[in-house]
Amino acid sequence: MSHMHVRHKMLHCNMMRATENLMLGLDDLVADVAHARRHETLGRLALLCYCELKPWARHAEEERLAQLAWALSTRALPGSRKLFLQRIDVVIQELEEVCRRAARTDAAELLAAARSH
């Protein structure tokens, strides 16, 4: 086996592992976001968006999701719980789309159910 072939194989394994780690991170985020949304834990939702969802989205090159999460945490807080949840739901809907593109339909459905709870 040539040196180049070994390097290519190692790179492929590293990329597969990175993709697997991204998907595991996505699964964890979905579970956390769905739980917080179902219980309307606003502080937890805001924290998840800024501290976990935004960095994950940037790393996964999901720029629309990253921008929505960032905008949620940098814009002035809405005057009511209902308005805040509406903003959160826009972020969650984009997260659902990310899940669908990643063939994580169960995760997308979990998020949709949490929004309609």
Side-chain angles (χ1 to χ4, degrees):
M1 194 178 323
S2 74
H3 180 67
M4 193 63 117
H5 182 73
V6 170
R7 288 182 70 189
H8 177 71
K9 193 170 186 172
M10 287 176 57
L11 178 61
H12 179 73
C13 287
N14 286 340
M15 288 173 59
M16 293 293 289
R17 198 170 12 258
T19 299
E20 185 178 314
N21 287 342
L22 272 175
M23 291 303 103
L24 290 173
L26 177 60
D27 293 341
D28 290 344
L29 275 171
V30 165
D32 289 346
V33 168
H35 182 267
R37 177 59 180 93
R38 203 170 28 257
H39 296 286
E40 296 186 5
T41 313
L42 303 188
R44 178 75 178 137
L45 284 166
L47 186 67
L48 282 168
C49 281
Y50 188 74
C51 295
E52 295 186 38
L53 191 56
K54 182 179 65 96
W56 181 91
R58 291 235 192 274
H59 188 71
E61 298 180 0
E62 291 289 347
E63 290 306 315
R64 177 162 164 67
L65 180 59
Q67 287 296 324
L68 288 170
W70 182 78
L72 179 76
S73 52
T74 58
R75 289 174 50 197
L77 289 175
S80 74
R81 181 179 194 86
K82 182 180 177 182
L83 286 174
F84 182 76
L85 286 172
Q86 286 174 347
R87 285 189 190 174
I88 285 285
D89 285 346
V90 170
V91 176
I92 292 174
Q93 285 175 320
E94 183 61 24
L95 182 56
E96 288 171 36
E97 289 304 312
V98 168
C99 290
R100 284 188 186 90
R101 287 193 301 272
R104 295 285 212 262
T105 52
D106 289 348
E109 290 171 12
L110 179 67
L111 290 166
R115 280 190 305 107
S116 65
H117 179 67

